[in-house]
Amino acid sequence: MEKTKQQDEKNPSAVSDVGAWGMNVVSSVGIIMANKQLMSTAGYAFTFATTLTGLHFGVTALVGLVSNATGYSASKHVPFWELLWFSIVANTSITGMNLSLMLNSVGFYQISKLSMIPVVCVMEWILHSKRYSKEVKMAVFVVVVGVGVCTVTDVKVNGKGFVCACIAVLSTSLQQISIGSLQKKYSIGSFELLSKTAPIQALSLVILGPFIDYYLNGKFILDYKFSSGSILFTLLSCTLAVFCNISQYLCIGRFSAVSFQVLGHMKTVCVLTLGWLLFDSQLTLKNIMGMALAVIGMVVYSWAVEVEKKAYSRIALAKTSLTEEEIRLLREGVENSNTKNDELGEAKA
């Protein structure tokens, strides 16, 4: 009976974990497809990625404001300087990624994205003394190789592009680690944290975004002629971004930055598959082999993380049991000592 009760208590958590993963994959893949139609020359040629990201955070901030006003979510105090620091790091990540894509070949851009997993691992080891098992390291290696095989083609790099890629990788890794750290430090929920950082990011990106986009593609957003189709896809992109942002914070808060990166490569596999199904993108044997290897790596990673969790649980249980035993022995010692003292007092009397 007790065992059944424990299983029932665990099930809601497991369902919500799967829900967070599912929301992130579906919303991320959806937003990529919507943005492809919005930004490609075959679609609406809206080539203002940084400004669009600012609009994403603007809508997210609005949802957070409404949620707080209606009492759906509570607002906890987080120092403004922490929120400002986080927003600067996050905006540097967005700008760095866009510059890296512009200055480098697509192949090197994909390599820089793949390097985020080992960078996150090293940064978590430096900042939080976190260590990973051999199984987790092996699984991460298989995922990186698999995604590399199916996405990396031509690799060309230059000095400026390399610097931008390094800044992008470091800032993105630090941002994702910071999400989990801030949630734990201030005991704040994922949506509450997002509703505090989104307004700062939205304001800064909407102001600076048009100038960054002008530098990237030589076009100014005020010269763009909006149509009903482009407005519809912009709204769709912003709506999906709300779910994407919320699920990102949920996933990192529940799991880790490394797990989120592995999930990110699952999205890459989904995007390649949907591109082949919906947009007649070419899918070679190399792509298929790479995707299969990446999926195997993700399965192995999930297994390795579960093994690691069970090992930590056993260690924690052993430590708790030992402490309880020590307390019991200590209590018995104190009681025996008191009894002896009472006997001695009676003997003296």
Side-chain angles (χ1 to χ4, degrees):
M1 188 78 176
E2 228 172 273
K3 195 174 181 182
T4 310
K5 192 178 178 184
Q6 285 175 355
Q7 285 175 344
D8 290 341
E9 285 173 358
K10 286 178 184 177
N11 284 339
S13 177
V15 170
S16 55
D17 288 351
V18 172
W21 284 115
M23 189 199 295
N24 190 260
V25 171
V26 172
S27 60
S28 298
V29 173
I31 201 172
I32 289 167
M33 293 300 163
N35 286 352
K36 186 170 184 177
Q37 180 64 26
L38 179 65
M39 302 178 78
S40 67
T41 50
Y44 297 101
F46 185 85
T47 55
F48 310 100
T50 313
T51 308
L52 181 62
T53 307
L55 295 175
H56 288 169
F57 281 108
V59 175
T60 305
L62 183 63
V63 171
L65 187 68
V66 171
S67 178
N68 287 332
T70 54
Y72 181 76
S73 59
S75 182
K76 291 185 179 179
H77 175 71
V78 179
F80 179 74
W81 70 268
E82 291 246 42
L83 297 174
L84 184 62
W85 161 248
F86 175 84
S87 300
I88 291 169
V89 171
N91 288 352
T92 303
S93 163
I94 293 162
T95 307
M97 280 295 182
N98 288 338
L99 287 170
S100 175
L101 184 58
M102 184 190 78
L103 296 170
N104 299 313
S105 65
V106 176
F108 185 78
Y109 175 75
Q110 287 295 342
I111 287 175
S112 67
K113 285 181 72 176
L114 289 172
S115 70
M116 281 182 200
I117 294 183
V119 169
V120 167
C121 291
V122 171
M123 288 181 80
E124 285 199 321
W125 173 62
I126 293 169
L127 296 172
H128 304 300
S129 302
K130 189 170 182 179
R131 297 182 182 277
Y132 297 91
S133 65
K134 289 179 182 178
E135 292 82 6
V136 169
K137 291 175 185 174
M138 178 187 71
V140 165
F141 178 75
V142 173
V143 171
V144 169
V145 170
V147 176
V149 167
C150 65
T151 58
V152 177
T153 50
D154 61 316
V155 180
K156 293 176 185 176
V157 64
N158 57 70
K160 285 182 181 177
F162 181 76
V163 170
C164 287
C166 288
I167 291 170
V169 169
L170 289 171
S171 57
T172 304
S173 302
L174 183 59
Q175 179 226 2
Q176 291 178 359
I177 291 169
S178 298
I179 290 173
S181 299
L182 286 172
Q183 287 187 47
K184 288 173 186 173
K185 186 176 179 181
Y186 295 103
S187 301
I188 189 170
S190 51
F191 184 70
E192 292 165 24
L193 179 62
L194 178 60
S195 63
K196 286 182 178 296
T197 57
I200 303 171
Q201 286 187 255
L203 186 64
S204 54
L205 287 173
V206 166
I207 293 170
L208 298 174
F211 300 102
I212 295 168
D213 289 330
Y214 182 78
Y215 174 75
L216 289 170
N217 56 44
K219 296 175 183 176
F220 201 59
I221 191 168
L222 293 177
D223 298 328
Y224 181 78
K225 292 180 180 178
F226 282 93
S227 64
S228 56
S230 63
I231 291 170
L232 178 66
F233 271 91
T234 302
L235 291 172
L236 176 63
S237 180
C238 289
T239 304
L240 288 167
V242 174
F243 292 100
C244 188
N245 288 330
I246 291 170
S247 59
Q248 178 187 2
Y249 280 58
L250 272 172
C251 288
I252 295 175
R254 286 175 175 273
F255 307 104
S256 68
V258 175
S259 295
F260 185 74
Q261 281 295 326
V262 172
L263 174 70
H265 295 309
M266 182 66 198
K267 290 180 281 188
T268 303
V269 173
C270 291
V271 168
L272 287 171
T273 306
L274 286 173
W276 172 63
L277 290 171
L278 301 176
F279 298 101
D280 296 323
S281 299
Q282 190 179 5
L283 201 63
T284 63
L285 180 63
K286 181 188 167 192
N287 294 140
I288 295 167
M289 287 176 65
M291 286 191 289
L293 189 61
V295 170
I296 291 167
M298 288 167 203
V299 172
V300 174
Y301 178 82
S302 301
W303 165 78
V305 168
E306 283 302 311
V307 169
E308 207 172 53
K309 278 181 184 175
K310 286 176 182 176
Y312 284 139
S313 296
R314 282 197 296 269
I315 291 166
L317 186 64
K319 283 182 179 178
T320 306
S321 300
L322 182 64
T323 307
E324 286 173 356
E325 183 66 19
E326 286 174 349
I327 290 168
R328 187 182 65 78
L329 290 170
L330 186 63
R331 280 177 181 168
E332 284 179 1
V334 169
E335 284 172 6
N336 290 337
S337 176
N338 288 338
T339 305
K340 284 179 182 177
N341 287 340
D342 291 342
E343 286 173 357
L344 283 169
E346 286 173 10
K348 283 180 183 179

